[in-house]
Amino acid sequence: MFRFRRRAEEMLSQHAYVTEKLEGPFPQRRFASTEERQHVLDNLSRLSIDAAGAEVTGWYLAELHVA
């Protein structure tokens, strides 16, 4: 889990890539266990990402950046 940073977008643009973030989030998969779910929720909280209406539903969600 990581945030797509401006630096990554700048690096891609140096190679003539245009990056766009698609409207999401996109479900990846269900959590394998309650422990994994809690670990993800803890990480999101640490990153100041609100999981309300998202990962709290039981799905591992992702943002999608296309270059």
Side-chain angles (χ1 to χ4, degrees):
M1 168 182 335
F2 63 92
R3 291 182 183 235
F4 191 84
R5 296 190 175 113
R6 177 182 287 270
R7 185 172 179 206
E9 191 171 340
E10 289 173 358
M11 186 271 308
L12 288 168
S13 70
Q14 292 173 4
H15 298 281
Y17 286 93
V18 175
T19 305
E20 295 182 22
K21 178 183 173 196
L22 300 184
E23 290 295 320
F26 295 89
Q28 284 188 307
R29 61 177 174 83
R30 291 210 175 266
F31 292 113
S33 66
T34 56
E35 292 81 10
E36 179 188 44
R37 179 177 177 266
Q38 190 58 53
H39 178 74
V40 168
L41 293 174
D42 291 345
N43 283 341
L44 291 173
S45 177
R46 187 172 39 82
L47 294 169
S48 300
I49 298 173
D50 182 12
E55 277 81 4
V56 294
T57 64
W59 282 90
Y60 211 140
L61 302 175
E63 293 180 340
L64 181 58
H65 299 262
V66 179

